[in-house]
Amino acid sequence: MQTTPTSSTSPATKNRLILFILWLLFYASLTLFVPPLLDDADSVHAEVAREMLQRNDWVTLYANGIRYLEKAPILYWSMALSFKLFGVNTAAARLPIALTVLALALILEGFARRAFSARAGLYAGLMLLSSFGIFIFTRILLPDADVCLWLTLALYFYWLTESGPTQQAHRQADASPTLCWLFATCCALNVLTKGLIGIVFPILIVLAHLILTRRSLPAVIKRIRQLHPISSIIVFLLIAAPWHVLIAQANPTQGHPGALTFSHRHWSVPLPTDGNVHGWLWFYFVNEQLLRYLNLRVPRDYDTVPLLLFWGLILVWLMPWSAFLYRALASVPWRKALRPLVSIRTLTPAESTRLLLALWAVIPVLFFSLSTRQEYYVLPALPGMILLIAAWLNDEATEAESFTVPAPLVRSGQRISTVLLVLGSLAALTAGFFLLHSHAPTPGTDLASLLKQNPGDYALSFGHFLDLNAQAMGAFRNPLLLTAIALFTGPLANWLLRRNYQPHAANLCLAASTFAFLLAAHLGLQIFSPVLSSRQLATAIESELKPSDLIVIHGEYEAASTLGFYLHRSDLHILDGRSSNLWYGSFFPDAPPIFEDALSLKIKWLEPRRIFLWQDLSQPVPTLPGKIHFIAQSGGKEILSNQPNPY
């Protein structure tokens, strides 16, 4: 482990400037404004923040006027504050997560620079910003980037108690109380971001690290006492407890909802009925966290990513840097750390640091491997992997520059570059094949009409992209061309430079091609967005919409949630879609009567007020009395009305 001398101020400043410019280009410019927010989680979360500001209720979350009790508040607080400062719009919704990515990149740079070198700091920041997983899952308003930030900060503060210029002294004496309180603060903020995993992950990682580095239970207990546990718990509770107390008081149990029972070797979870519903405490902690982990959550309206796919996607979220992941994990002193307790050998500071990073990389993945999971649940582990890879790349570059013989790291890097070149060439050929064998659709063609739907794949966050076929690929000619260029030239330059014993330059070329691929991904998402968003339909009716008009979504609220956000409406009615995010809150006595059935909609259809019906083209249009007027169509969806367009 290397410490940062005074002369490293200039490299640190240079690193931060490079990372800031890249962040500005890829996370804080056009990507804030386009594409529009997507249906489902993206616009649902933005709408929750909008209603928080509209209601001036910063305790209980609401979506479409109904209690939305399953999420922690920090993401919504940050978006609501952004709306208050910059207005309710797409860019303001995305700005808080963009700032989270910037903070995460700068913290990883500082962590790697202090633990290894300034060059490792640059690598860590570049890998974070160019990570496909970080980029694509910050195109959706999810709290997982915030989870990464708080976990990274917490483990950084813990590492500072274990490491630094006076590392040996730190290991033998009480840790800095300020660092311990900062650790507790980050844990509390993480709990306010995504529930109990905010405290489970850092505690599991720290405990595992203490056990493997202290080697005996008395030594572990002694070190825990040196970390100021009592005052840290007080700090944690002062930050985390108030919101939990307030929301529990604001959302008590209503009526007689029943209790969790176990019979015939199966758990039975009570379903709510109108006016009989558990309060926030049961729903949030028992149903949404414990029962969800055990795959017993109600309603059973979610899917889980297969385990092998969950693991395999790690390689995608970190590509191309995941090619170095095995070598980075192999540099961790696993055997030395797992020696019997009678061993007198202890880990060096550098080995202890790598062990901490490895535990950080592994524990979140193992945690979700034992439960239901979505593909983005792996994100909290990515910063640990990135730091390990950055350390290995730095060691490889140092070995090449020192002309050490033999040079095992350089040789490994050269072999990896060959694999990357082969894979990149195959991927580039695939992109080129679609580019040569597809034709641009005629102007005005709805992309949805070219797709082949695969509803079974929509459990994945971007499962709709699996609807793409050779015919639809013609709409993506520019992203395909950029992808082919990036996936071939980057690995080729990487291979040539590593063969010439210049791994540092090779890494920079690899990073440049990865950013080019991210640009292609963004262009592709923008082209595909009409299929994933109802923004164009909202624009089509916005000018003629009156406050008294009724908007009805045929299906779940999430299928057209962009209508609520962009039209600033929190009173959308739902036909045959009392499920998903609105389901549980709809049983509270004060829930608005927004759920329609075939009969109630028929009655409303004959009213003098205008009704707009959102309809997926794959669904049959409900039987309605009187005339049905077509208003607009986009992305495989349409708007119908009981009255013609007055213009």
Side-chain angles (χ1 to χ4, degrees):
M1 181 180 65
Q2 299 178 15
T3 58
T4 304
T6 305
S7 60
S8 68
T9 302
S10 180
T13 303
K14 182 179 179 181
N15 285 356
R16 293 165 186 159
L17 181 60
I18 292 171
L19 297 178
F20 178 78
I21 292 173
L22 288 170
W23 170 81
L24 201 62
L25 291 173
F26 286 89
Y27 290 87
S29 54
L30 288 179
T31 53
L32 287 180
F33 300 91
V34 292
L37 297 183
L38 310 180
D39 289 317
D40 207 347
D42 202 23
S43 52
V44 168
H45 293 171
E47 175 61 15
V48 169
R50 189 189 72 81
E51 292 187 34
M52 175 182 285
L53 190 63
Q54 181 186 51
R55 290 172 170 269
N56 197 29
D57 185 347
W58 298 74
V59 175
T60 301
L61 311 181
Y62 286 84
N64 199 43
I66 289 179
R67 297 171 197 251
Y68 184 65
L69 303 180
E70 57 196 74
K71 301 296 183 182
I74 275 189
L75 175 65
Y76 310 98
W77 285 346
S78 64
M79 283 193 290
L81 179 60
S82 182
F83 290 155
K84 192 174 184 67
L85 294 174
F86 306 110
V88 178
N89 56 68
T90 304
R94 290 181 172 143
L95 181 59
I97 289 183
L99 292 172
T100 294
V101 174
L102 175 62
L104 188 54
L106 295 178
I107 292 163
L108 283 181
E109 186 278 331
F111 198 152
R113 176 165 40 82
R114 292 195 64 170
F116 307 109
S117 73
R119 179 163 52 194
L122 177 61
Y123 289 162
L126 289 176
M127 280 189 280
L128 187 280
L129 293 178
S130 65
S131 161
F132 182 63
I134 295 294
F135 181 79
I136 204 68
F137 289 117
T138 53
R139 303 309 91 210
I140 309 175
L141 300 176
L142 297 171
D144 297 81
D146 289 323
V147 173
C148 290
L149 175 62
W150 304 130
L151 180 60
T152 299
L153 275 171
L155 295 178
Y156 178 57
F157 293 133
Y158 165 73
W159 176 78
L160 289 176
T161 68
E162 291 283 293
S163 307
T166 56
Q167 191 265 352
Q168 293 300 326
H170 279 298
R171 289 169 63 93
Q172 302 299 328
D174 286 355
S176 163
T178 301
L179 290 175
C180 297
W181 298 337
L182 288 171
F183 175 87
T185 297
C186 292
C187 292
L189 292 173
N190 221 352
V191 167
L192 290 172
T193 297
K194 205 170 180 178
L196 293 178
I197 65 167
I199 186 69
V200 169
F201 283 171
I203 293 300
L204 282 179
I205 293 167
V206 167
L207 282 178
H209 186 255
L210 288 176
I211 290 170
L212 293 176
T213 55
R214 293 316 192 276
R215 300 180 176 275
S216 68
L217 184 59
V220 171
I221 294 174
K222 178 182 178 181
R223 185 57 183 166
I224 291 174
R225 288 174 177 171
Q226 293 171 343
L227 295 175
H228 307 279
I230 303 300
S231 59
S232 296
I233 290 172
I234 292 172
V235 170
F236 172 85
L237 292 175
L238 286 174
I239 296 171
W243 176 77
H244 290 82
V245 172
L246 291 173
I247 193 171
Q249 292 175 341
N251 300 275
T253 295
Q254 307 285 328
H256 304 283
L260 189 69
T261 58
F262 183 80
S263 61
H264 305 291
R265 292 186 287 183
H266 292 285
W267 287 99
S268 177
V269 183
L271 296 177
T273 57
D274 290 327
N276 298 290
V277 59
H278 283 288
W280 175 85
L281 274 174
W282 183 91
F283 181 75
Y284 183 76
F285 285 111
V286 178
N287 190 60
E288 283 301 308
Q289 301 193 49
L290 176 61
L291 296 183
R292 189 183 188 103
Y293 187 82
L294 298 174
N295 200 20
L296 295 172
R297 170 188 178 265
V298 293
R300 187 66 170 81
D301 60 354
Y302 57 94
D303 208 342
T304 185
V305 176
L307 184 59
L308 291 179
L309 179 60
F310 179 69
W311 291 343
L313 284 173
I314 295 173
L315 304 180
V316 176
W317 305 148
L318 275 179
M319 69 175 192
W321 312 108
S322 50
F324 303 96
L325 181 59
Y326 174 78
R327 296 299 306 167
L329 287 172
S331 69
V332 178
W334 296 109
R335 291 185 179 181
K336 191 173 178 181
L338 296 173
R339 282 179 179 274
L341 298 181
V342 296
S343 172
I344 61 172
R345 296 183 64 190
T346 58
L347 299 178
T348 66
E351 291 173 333
S352 176
T353 297
R354 290 179 190 260
L355 177 63
L356 174 64
L357 299 180
L359 294 170
W360 179 0
V362 169
I363 286 176
V365 175
L366 292 179
F367 180 88
F368 285 120
S369 296
L370 302 175
S371 76
T372 59
R373 66 199 76 85
Q374 294 298 314
E375 63 272 30
Y376 53 85
Y377 284 6
V378 75
L379 258 62
L382 295 190
M385 297 179 189
I386 286 171
L387 288 169
L388 271 178
I389 296 170
W392 190 88
L393 292 175
N394 176 68
D395 291 345
E396 180 204 14
T398 301
E399 184 179 84
E401 293 167 354
S402 65
F403 300 101
T404 302
V405 178
L409 300 183
V410 173
R411 292 297 183 187
S412 293
Q414 290 173 345
R415 289 192 292 269
I416 292 169
S417 71
T418 302
V419 173
L420 280 176
L421 179 59
V422 172
L423 295 177
S425 299
L426 291 174
L429 286 173
T430 303
F433 173 83
F434 284 113
L435 185 64
L436 294 174
H437 291 81
S438 62
H439 303 282
T442 57
T445 301
D446 190 340
L447 177 61
S449 66
L450 305 177
L451 302 176
K452 181 181 179 181
Q453 294 192 342
N454 299 281
D457 297 320
Y458 296 163
L460 297 172
S461 294
F462 288 95
H464 283 275
F465 277 94
L466 299 177
D467 294 345
L468 289 170
N469 50 38
Q471 184 183 15
M473 283 294 187
F476 295 84
R477 295 181 64 80
N478 290 336
L480 282 172
L481 177 60
L482 184 55
T483 296
I485 294 172
L487 294 183
F488 179 70
T489 59
L492 177 61
N494 173 57
W495 182 79
L496 291 172
L497 288 167
R498 275 193 156 81
R499 287 290 163 181
N500 201 30
Y501 293 87
Q502 300 180 65
H504 177 61
N507 293 330
L508 297 182
C509 288
L510 207 55
S513 67
T514 308
F515 281 111
F517 175 75
L518 293 188
L519 178 59
H522 177 71
L523 293 175
L525 181 59
Q526 189 174 343
I527 294 169
F528 205 85
S529 64
V531 177
L532 304 176
S533 174
S534 299
R535 175 65 171 116
Q536 293 185 11
L537 297 179
T539 301
I541 65 175
E542 188 173 15
S543 60
E544 55 192 83
L545 185 65
K546 299 177 182 178
S548 60
D549 292 343
L550 182 65
I551 302 174
V552 180
I553 297 174
H554 185 189
E556 292 184 342
Y557 169 69
E558 293 75 15
S561 49
T562 43
L563 295 179
F565 178 78
Y566 284 112
L567 297 174
H568 295 185
R569 295 287 294 260
S570 55
D571 59 350
L572 305 184
H573 282 227
I574 312 297
L575 172 63
D576 299 332
R578 189 178 184 179
S579 58
S580 197
N581 291 318
L582 302 187
W583 180 76
Y584 197 81
S586 70
F587 293 101
F588 279 79
D590 62 350
I594 63 169
F595 296 100
E596 306 288 348
D597 55 28
L599 178 60
S600 66
L601 183 59
K602 286 180 180 179
I603 296 172
K604 286 183 171 62
W605 200 256
L606 296 174
E607 293 179 359
R609 64 174 169 170
R610 196 169 186 196
I611 298 176
F612 294 94
L613 174 65
W614 179 95
Q615 177 78 27
D616 192 302
L617 293 178
S618 64
Q619 295 177 306
V621 178
T623 303
L624 296 168
K627 293 185 177 180
I628 300 176
H629 300 275
F630 172 80
I631 303 300
Q633 180 179 319
S634 173
K637 307 171 283 285
E638 64 181 354
I639 295 285
L640 307 175
S641 180
N642 63 341
Q643 297 178 21
N645 192 325
Y647 307 104

